Amino acid sequence: MAGRDYFWCRCGRSQQQPFCDGSHKGTGLAPLKFHADVSETLYFCGCKHSHSPPLCDGTHNQLQD
Ligand code: FES
């Protein structure tokens, strides 16, 4: 939604993926803020390996099990 800030979970511990729920406390990591300038459909990274965080860049397709 335009004008809204989103906080992408960088640590992987959040129960509200892909967004931060505060579970990073004590990890030394912090969420990455994303400000939406316009209202549009975007895909936030869920695998935490994107080279363009917080958004998906397709890297998950190259991950091995
Ligand atoms: S819960 Fe993961 S960065 Fe906040």
Side-chain angles (χ1 to χ4, degrees), residues 15-63:
Q15 297 299 307
Q16 304 293 324
Q17 294 292 334
F19 303 110
C20 174
D21 69 355
S23 298
H24 61 270
K25 290 189 175 107
T27 66
L29 297 172
L32 182 61
K33 179 180 164 183
F34 176 83
H35 180 78
D37 291 322
V38 297
S39 292
E40 61 183 335
T41 299
L42 294 173
Y43 296 92
F44 285 83
C45 173
C47 73
K48 311 303 180 193
H49 291 277
S50 173
H51 296 104
S52 301
L55 303 179
C56 173
D57 68 354
T59 298
H60 62 272
N61 290 315
Q62 296 156 12
L63 298 177

